[in-house]
Amino acid sequence: MSEEQGQRRYDSLRRTTQALETRAEIARAARTLFLARGWAQTTVRDVAREAGVSVPTVYSTYGNKVGLARALADSADLSGDAPQLLAELEDPGADPARQLSAMAGFDRRLYERAGDIIVLLREAGRTEPDLATVYRDGRRRADETRVQVFSSWPKEVLRAGLDVETAVDVYAAICNIDVYATLTTERGWSPDRVEQWWGDVLARELLT
């Protein structure tokens, strides 16, 4: 194979890699500026300048400013390492208690690595309907995962008087960004300690 053929062979991979790098750079720039200035004070032009790309490149990559917010929400979900959660949930040896611990571990990673983004979307969503939708979509996806897991258990696994919907509500009341922030920031707990406590409390509150 000639050198020219080899170069052509990798052109597609090179373009894909460059596109991914551009997306990541824009997302990083958006995160930096949104957190530093706030949603309302940050423009697409600001993000383009910070990322070192043109304004049309930002629009073609993410569509608009709301698209950037969706990208940040997606990156936050990835921070929790969904593949690891899926592997732990599908482990043949994982009983309900271990599955709850796996879900608590995912939430710990999510809040530890991307809690600032979650708070940003929630707070900005109070005045920006589009961002409120982005935030609600993220919460809805989390609830859907919990419904799927809890619904897969035999009915006698949940504590007496609990149905799946109520169990999802209880989970959300225990494992959320505000509880995590209070324990780690105000009370000095380590993320490991929060995760362990969540696992213990969830098992006690939800399981027979």
Side-chain angles (χ1 to χ4, degrees):
M1 181 175 66
S2 68
E3 182 178 350
E4 182 179 353
Q5 288 174 321
Q7 290 174 341
R8 285 202 303 269
R9 177 186 232 180
Y10 296 113
D11 278 347
S12 177
L13 176 60
R14 185 178 297 108
R15 286 194 298 270
T16 299
T17 301
Q18 290 171 344
L20 290 173
E21 289 174 348
T22 298
R23 290 178 68 87
E25 194 58 44
I26 292 172
R28 281 193 292 268
R31 175 173 183 157
T32 297
L33 293 176
F34 289 159
L35 291 175
R37 301 181 183 180
W39 169 260
Q41 285 68 44
T42 301
T43 66
V44 171
R45 186 175 297 278
D46 294 333
V47 173
R49 186 183 302 113
E50 178 75 15
V53 301
S54 68
V55 171
T57 295
V58 176
Y59 279 114
S60 66
T61 303
Y62 284 114
N64 53 28
K65 193 173 172 183
V66 175
L68 287 173
R70 290 193 179 279
L72 293 180
D74 289 343
S75 70
D77 285 342
L78 291 173
S79 296
D81 196 347
Q84 177 181 337
L85 172 62
L86 181 61
E88 291 173 341
L89 290 176
E90 293 184 337
D91 184 341
D95 59 15
R98 285 181 59 185
Q99 288 184 321
L100 285 173
S101 292
M103 295 164 72
F106 173 85
D107 285 336
R108 170 263 178 97
R109 295 189 297 272
L110 178 66
Y111 301 146
E112 184 178 15
R113 300 170 184 174
D116 49 2
I117 293 299
I118 295 171
V119 171
L120 169 70
L121 291 173
R122 183 180 67 182
E123 297 307 308
R126 300 186 191 282
T127 56
E128 297 284 345
D130 287 334
L131 292 193
T133 298
V134 172
Y135 178 78
R136 285 197 303 269
D137 286 347
R139 299 305 87 202
R140 175 181 52 77
R141 290 195 299 270
D143 282 348
E144 287 174 352
T145 296
R146 294 161 193 160
V147 168
Q148 290 176 349
V149 173
F150 298 167
S151 298
S152 71
W153 298 341
K155 291 183 179 180
E156 63 272 15
V157 167
L158 286 176
R159 284 184 58 184
L162 280 183
D163 54 24
V164 169
E165 182 178 354
T166 304
V168 169
D169 291 342
V170 171
Y171 185 104
I174 295 170
C175 294
N176 61 65
I177 185 65
D178 296 312
V179 170
Y180 180 84
T182 297
L183 291 175
T184 56
T185 303
E186 298 181 15
R187 300 296 174 177
W189 285 32
S190 69
D192 282 341
R193 185 181 178 189
V194 175
E195 180 181 342
Q196 180 63 52
W197 179 72
W198 272 346
D200 293 342
V201 172
L202 288 169
R204 186 167 62 246
E205 293 297 320
L206 298 182
L207 307 180
T208 52

